[in-house]
């Protein structure tokens, strides 16, 4: 039992800390209809991993550099004639293919490919936690500072702009925070599942909440449950941590959705 605790406790703490960021960011992403953006950023991390491996750089540096570069590319590609979801799909596919292609030509990265794709939260150790905690705390301070204009811009951009909200500045802050999240979440759930970590708890919370504040709180609670149950289940069943966490969150969504449907049908009858 003690061996399990020594292995799981740092990972569990990391998962709990990460949820403080995933809940508000996931809700903002849903309100702004930018679910594709998380997947695009996540797929870009693979390219960052490959570049870092090829240049013998720290992985976090490659991932962070690629994330910032992607924000700059999306910023440059912003055009009212081009739908955002189409641009994100273009970037997502391009980055994923580029990352996998690079990794194929960096032999040292091939054995760890699955952990980059699906995460390995159990690789988190005690020395990693202070750095992660500091980054998450800094992100939360920034998010708290700009929370109100972010909500205003998410709900109705035109009204927000008329009230003096700087749309470009708020868009940039949001994208940079998501870029920072991808750096943190790579080890937790991998590049393919980051979007799910953001979207599923927020989607479940939307079924239960009656206000933005309630939605963030519900997303936080449901994400904590998903991370905790998923982490301990992965250890007990000897399966990938990232897969287990996302499947637990998806199962929670299914239960809430079915319960809500049955409740509505009963009330209608």
């Amino acid at each position: 039992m003690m061996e399990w605790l020594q292995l799981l406790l740092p990972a569990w703490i990391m998962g709990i800390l990460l949820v403080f960021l995933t809940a508000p960011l996931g809700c903002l992403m849903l309100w702004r209809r930018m679910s594709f953006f998380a997947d695009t950023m996540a797929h870009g991390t693979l390219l960052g991993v490959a570049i870092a491996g090829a240049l013998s750089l720290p992985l976090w540096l490659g991932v962070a550099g690629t994330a910032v570069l992607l924000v700059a590319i999306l910023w440059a590609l912003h055009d009212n004639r081009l739908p955002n979801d189409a641009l994100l799909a273009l970037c997502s596919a391009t980055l994923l293919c580029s990352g996998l292609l690079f990794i194929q030509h960096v032999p040292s990265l091939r054995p760890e490919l699955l952990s980059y794709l699906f995460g390995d939260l159990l690789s988190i150790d005690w020395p990693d936690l202070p750095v992660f905690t500091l980054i998450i705390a800094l992100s939360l301070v920034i998010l708290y500072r700009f929370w109100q204009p972010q909500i205003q811009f998410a709900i109705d951009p035109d009204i927000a702009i008329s009230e003096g909200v700087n749309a470009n500045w708020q868009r940039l802050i949001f994208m940079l925070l998501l870029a920072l999240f991808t750096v943190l979440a790579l080890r937790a759930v991998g590049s393919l599942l980051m979007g799910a970590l953001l979207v599923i708890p927020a989607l479940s919370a939307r079924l239960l909440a009656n206000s933005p504040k309630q939605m963030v709180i519900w997303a936080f609670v449901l994400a904590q449950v998903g991370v905790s149950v998923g982490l301990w289940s992965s250890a007990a069943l000897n399966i990938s941590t990232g897969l287990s966490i996302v499947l637990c969150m998806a199962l929670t969504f299914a239960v809430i959705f079915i319960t809500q449907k049955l409740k509505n049908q009963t009330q209608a009858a």
Side-chain angles (χ1 to χ4, degrees), residues 214-267:
Q214 284 186 14
M215 185 169 166
V216 174
I217 293 172
W218 272 114
F220 176 81
V221 171
L222 294 171
Q224 290 287 11
V225 171
V227 167
S228 299
V229 175
L231 177 63
W232 290 90
S233 299
S234 71
L237 301 174
N238 193 27
I239 58 176
S240 168
T241 309
L243 294 175
S244 180
I245 289 172
V246 171
L247 287 174
C248 284
M249 290 180 175
L251 182 61
T252 303
F253 170 79
V255 170
I256 293 172
F257 182 81
I258 293 170
T259 303
Q260 291 282 321
K261 280 288 187 182
L262 292 175
K263 181 181 177 181
N264 292 338
Q265 288 178 0
T266 303
Q267 289 176 347

Side-chain angles (χ1 to χ4, degrees), residues 197-215:
L197 190 64
L198 285 166
V199 171
I200 297 176
L203 207 57
S204 302
R206 195 165 193 169
L207 297 173
L208 300 170
N210 297 316
S211 68
K213 183 178 179 180
Q214 284 186 14
M215 185 169 166

Side-chain angles (χ1 to χ4, degrees), residues 92-208:
S92 179
T94 304
L95 290 168
L96 181 60
C97 293
S98 301
L100 290 172
L101 185 63
F102 266 86
I103 286 176
Q104 284 183 350
H105 291 84
V106 183
S108 61
L109 294 176
R110 289 179 202 164
E112 299 180 20
L113 179 58
L114 284 180
S115 69
Y116 298 137
L117 292 175
F118 303 113
D120 186 12
L121 190 57
L122 296 179
S123 67
I124 300 291
D125 207 350
W126 292 109
D128 300 319
L129 290 178
V131 177
F132 282 117
T133 303
L134 183 62
I135 296 173
I136 291 171
L138 178 62
S139 302
L140 288 174
V141 169
I142 296 171
L143 193 57
Y144 178 78
R145 168 65 180 81
F146 296 102
W147 180 249
Q148 197 57 42
Q150 284 288 335
I151 290 183
Q152 288 178 282
F153 189 73
I155 293 174
D156 195 320
D158 294 330
I159 293 178
I161 292 170
S162 69
E163 292 179 352
V165 175
N166 189 321
N168 290 331
W169 178 239
Q170 295 304 323
R171 188 181 295 113
L172 180 61
I173 290 171
F174 178 67
M175 288 195 295
L176 288 175
L177 284 172
L178 275 179
L180 196 57
F181 167 79
T182 61
V183 177
L184 296 172
L186 178 64
R187 290 177 68 179
V189 291
S191 65
L192 294 184
L193 302 176
M194 282 184 202
L197 190 64
L198 285 166
V199 171
I200 297 176
L203 207 57
S204 302
R206 195 165 193 169
L207 297 173
L208 300 170

Side-chain angles (χ1 to χ4, degrees), residues 34-51:
M34 289 183 67
S35 300
F36 270 130
F37 185 73
D39 283 332
T40 304
M41 295 295 296
H43 293 167
T45 60
L46 268 186
L47 182 59
V49 166
I51 292 173

